[in-house]
Amino acid sequence: MKTAEVKSFYACSGCGSVFARWHGRCPDCGAWDTLHEEKDSARPAPAKSTAKKRRVAAPAATPLADVQPDTAGFIATGIAEFDLTLGGGAMPGSTVLVGGEPGIGKSTLLLQVAGRLSQRGIPTLYVSGEESAAQIKHRADRLGIRSGLHLLTETDLAAILAAADQLKPHPRALILDSIQTTFDRQWQSPPGTVAQVRECAAAISDWARRHDAVAFVIGHVTKDGFIAGPKVLEHMVDTVLQFEGDRRQWIRLLRCLKNRYGPTHEVGLFEMTEAGLNEVTDPSGHFLTDHAPGGRAAGSAVAVAIEGRRPLLLEIQSLVGQGVGNSPQRVVSGPDPRRAAIIIAVLQNIAGLSLSGRDIYLNITGGFVTDEPAVDLGCAVAVASSALKRPADPRTVWIGELGLGGEIRGVPQIKRRLIEAEKIGFQRAIVPAANQRDIAYGGEMQIEPVGRIDQALAGI
Ligand code: TYD
Ligand code: MG
């Protein structure tokens, strides 16, 4: 008797594309080293019966005019930073993916979310394939969760959905921790593979849609962003949140990367404490280090970024060193590395700073990451200040985008940035000359418009 031949295929953990041959670089998304072998027998055999043979009960189509709008509205947790990041709450019937590096606090956040939802009378089921019930109970005690939340430790998809369906009252919120530990028995590939992640996410989303519930799905993301999972999932879910921050620091950012039902680019701020995550509703000054009244050391400058709905003051620090050998270090963490490369080139070629062959370190305190162009000028001033060994004025904020020709470009929402800086106690702002007309600024700060980088550096 002939045995069925088991064929292999290769799935990209970045984009989910499938290939017959292995490639070092995914031909579809261009990512390196993301193709992994999966067995063809993992694919369920196609149903033998054709549509002709099978009888399917015909569902009745509804006239659009008869469809009732969703009166229940958003499902909100009451944790303002979380709800606002979602644009007011989660839409019933939708799936929200919460991605982040291991250890950043995803389980903590979602357990708190689950606790608050059930406290508000929303039947909630927290499913974990990551930890034991005792561990979760221990964490819940630490977080002060005493609501009627239901807990299930399970990794089998069918069992999870069966448990959810059996629960009375029926859950309106389901938290799945995590998509990488969940598996569908119909598929032979192990949990965490592209095939499993995709199937499980599809089944969970389908469950949420059918029950008008919201599913929060946790997914681990590795440092370089490529994982067996979340990248593939981003297209399948309604909303994508990313939990980020520096694990050694307390500040955490919840960033909205995609939202079918609300604004994207919203950011929620939290602080990791001994008793879980606290909301940071007034982030002003959180990213500024404390300085002695004497002022800042050379290499530090304060910029004002707008993240989502609010302005944030960011302290940018740079160290320009001597450099050993002919390959100087360029280490950038916080600002966008591509923008940093442009800033360094402009400082060197246009402002005439001697940076070639020197090591340059550039970072944002608090582990904050941003690609907002308005922080360019702050980065440039930090680097120049360190290179020139001249401390920047500690009472000044620097706002502006840097162009390749050394011009300072205008930035959006200048007024909101200035109001925030003044609130924290800054007294002077260097702003793009292009913004001069938008500033009907009623505050007390001294405003100095600049058109070019050399002009700005003269004000350090
Ligand atoms: P965790 O939620 O397990 O992260 P993830 O699910 O993203 O892997 O939490 C990670 C860290 O948070 C852990 O190292 C301990 C810390 N933590 C606190 O500091 N305070 C707390 O109250 C809790 C529950 C965790
Ligand atoms: Mg976890």
Side-chain angles (χ1 to χ4, degrees), residues 13-27:
S13 60
C15 66
S17 294
V18 171
F19 305 95
R21 273 191 320 118
W22 185 83
H23 300 268
R25 184 179 193 184
C26 173

Side-chain angles (χ1 to χ4, degrees), residues 100-112 126 130-131 138-140 142-143 177 218 220 243 247 250 252 272-277:
E101 286 176 32
I104 204 70
K106 300 180 296 297
S107 300
T108 307
L109 177 69
L110 270 299
L111 190 56
Q112 285 181 257
Y126 186 98
E130 301 258 337
E131 288 144 317
H138 180 72
R139 177 177 293 177
R142 184 167 161 186
L143 301 173
D177 186 5
I218 294 179
H220 297 295
F243 206 35
R247 247 172 303 172
W250 300 115
R252 296 285 180 276
M272 183 61 98
T273 71
E274 286 296 302
L277 291 152

